[in-house]
Amino acid sequence: MEQLIGQPDAAGAQADLIKDGTQETFINDVIEASRSVPVLVDFWADWCGPCKQLAPVLEKVVRAAKGKVRLVKVDIEANRALAAQLAQVGLPLQSIPLVAAFWKGQILDVFQGALPESGVKKFIETVLKASGGGTLPATERLHEADTALETGRPDVAAELYSSVIGEEEENPRAWGGLVRAMLALDDEESAAAALADVPEKITNAPEVAGARAALELKREGRQAAEAMEGIQARLAANPEDFEARCELATALNAAGRREEAAGELLHVIRADRGWKDGAARQQLLRFFEAWGNDDPNTLTARRRLSSLLFS
């Protein structure tokens, strides 16, 4: 790569996050700059429709990265000599848009095509990890928010999730987290309002769907808890009152007693898996969606459910 056209500028790479590159500035803007921070190079042409779709997405994500990566845009038609030279080192510039990540003067990774914003973020996260640059700022805040929610600080979590949404309106993890934080604060009205504000594009994302299920179950659980005395009396009179047992499971879930809630539904499934067209299993699956696939209670109960269904 040291043979590329142009010579390094003695002043060093400029601090601009996004700039247009040429064959004269490539060494300075990309090769030299990449020795301290990963540099993405967007190869495009005016006749390329997908290039025009990708450009604003790239710029948005790079700005949100707050200096952890830079972006240089190279028009391959206006810089044919540079394009030809880069093609000789393996860049498939015959198919654009193409984005190459440079680190320490070398090509670290490449993607082709107009990726959606989520794909661009994933690519940059991979580049940052490989270069030791950590994660995107929004990702760091999401980790902080998740930790705050898990350690009983939902108010802090809500602020962090909201700050991410302010920068990335279509971030399903942030929306789902905000709803869950509102539920942890016993603010069902705000949780419902947040769900109503979720952008249509991500309304069915797993993170959002799980938060929606959590809100629905919390409402149902509150109603079941109010009838707890009657539910317990029905079970005392008839331990095989499956309707009462399912209502008890819903109340236990709303109280945060997930293991016991799952146990009540598994009891019904073990006794009569076809009861009411599998109503207990369906409710348990709703619990899994609301808890999240990585929740320890989901993992344990799912194993127990599998052993019942496939034994």
Side-chain angles (χ1 to χ4, degrees):
M1 296 301 293
E2 315 308 1
Q3 300 299 316
L4 286 169
I5 298 171
Q7 296 298 324
D9 184 345
Q14 297 181 13
D16 300 350
L17 293 180
I18 301 171
K19 60 175 64 176
D20 291 315
T22 67
Q23 55 199 42
E24 289 78 18
T25 64
F26 194 85
I27 289 290
N28 187 65
D29 291 346
V30 178
I31 303 302
E32 292 303 318
S34 74
R35 301 194 188 282
S36 58
V37 63
V39 178
L40 306 184
V41 183
D42 175 21
F43 295 99
W44 67 282
D46 190 58
W47 47 260
C48 171
C51 295
K52 296 176 182 178
Q53 296 174 12
L54 177 63
V57 176
L58 268 173
E59 293 180 17
K60 177 183 177 182
V61 179
V62 168
R63 288 193 180 96
K66 300 186 183 301
K68 291 198 171 188
V69 293
R70 296 181 186 176
L71 175 64
V72 175
K73 301 184 290 183
V74 175
D75 181 345
I76 63 170
E77 293 291 351
N79 299 277
R80 292 191 177 187
L82 174 62
Q85 199 162 4
L86 289 168
Q88 291 177 9
V89 298
L91 279 179
L93 293 176
Q94 71 276 10
S95 180
I96 57 173
L98 180 140
V99 175
F102 285 76
W103 171 242
K104 298 297 184 183
Q106 303 294 323
I107 299 171
L108 180 63
D109 204 351
V110 173
F111 78 79
Q112 288 179 290
L115 294 183
E117 185 174 334
S118 59
V120 173
K121 288 176 185 174
K122 185 176 180 180
F123 177 80
I124 293 179
E125 290 277 11
T126 300
V127 168
L128 288 174
K129 183 177 181 180
S131 64
T135 59
L136 292 171
T139 303
E140 293 174 355
R141 266 177 288 148
L142 285 173
H143 286 318
E144 292 178 24
D146 291 345
T147 299
L149 189 57
E150 292 166 3
T151 55
R153 295 175 292 143
D155 52 337
V156 174
E159 290 182 9
L160 290 167
Y161 289 128
S162 295
S163 72
V164 173
I165 292 170
E167 295 179 7
E168 301 181 6
E169 188 180 8
E170 294 182 351
N171 190 310
R173 182 176 163 193
W175 281 105
L178 178 60
V179 173
R180 291 179 185 279
M182 292 298 101
L183 292 178
L185 290 166
D186 288 324
D187 190 347
E188 293 179 26
E189 184 176 345
S190 293
L195 280 169
D197 288 338
V198 172
E200 184 177 357
K201 187 175 180 180
I202 62 169
T203 189
N204 292 319
E207 299 91 339
V208 176
R212 185 181 300 112
L215 173 59
E216 293 170 355
L217 287 169
K218 188 174 181 67
R219 287 171 169 169
E220 293 171 15
R222 177 164 36 81
Q223 295 170 356
E226 292 171 356
M228 180 64 79
E229 186 174 337
I231 293 171
Q232 292 174 330
R234 287 158 58 195
L235 283 173
N238 177 17
E240 298 308 300
D241 183 338
F242 296 154
E243 192 75 50
R245 202 167 287 281
C246 286
E247 291 174 20
L248 175 59
T250 301
L252 290 170
N253 174 65
R257 296 161 64 180
R258 295 180 175 180
E259 183 178 358
E260 295 173 68
E264 294 296 336
L265 294 176
L266 288 166
H267 175 92
V268 175
I269 296 167
R270 184 181 300 107
D272 184 357
R273 70 177 65 178
W275 177 74
K276 290 187 67 174
D277 294 325
R281 182 179 65 85
Q282 290 300 323
Q283 183 72 334
L284 187 56
L285 294 179
R286 290 181 69 207
F287 285 179
F288 294 165
E289 183 179 39
W291 299 345
N293 289 327
D294 295 331
D295 185 276
N297 294 285
T298 297
L299 297 173
T300 299
R302 197 186 295 279
R303 284 195 295 269
R304 293 176 63 189
L305 176 62
S306 297
S307 67
L308 289 176
L309 297 180
F310 299 107
S311 60

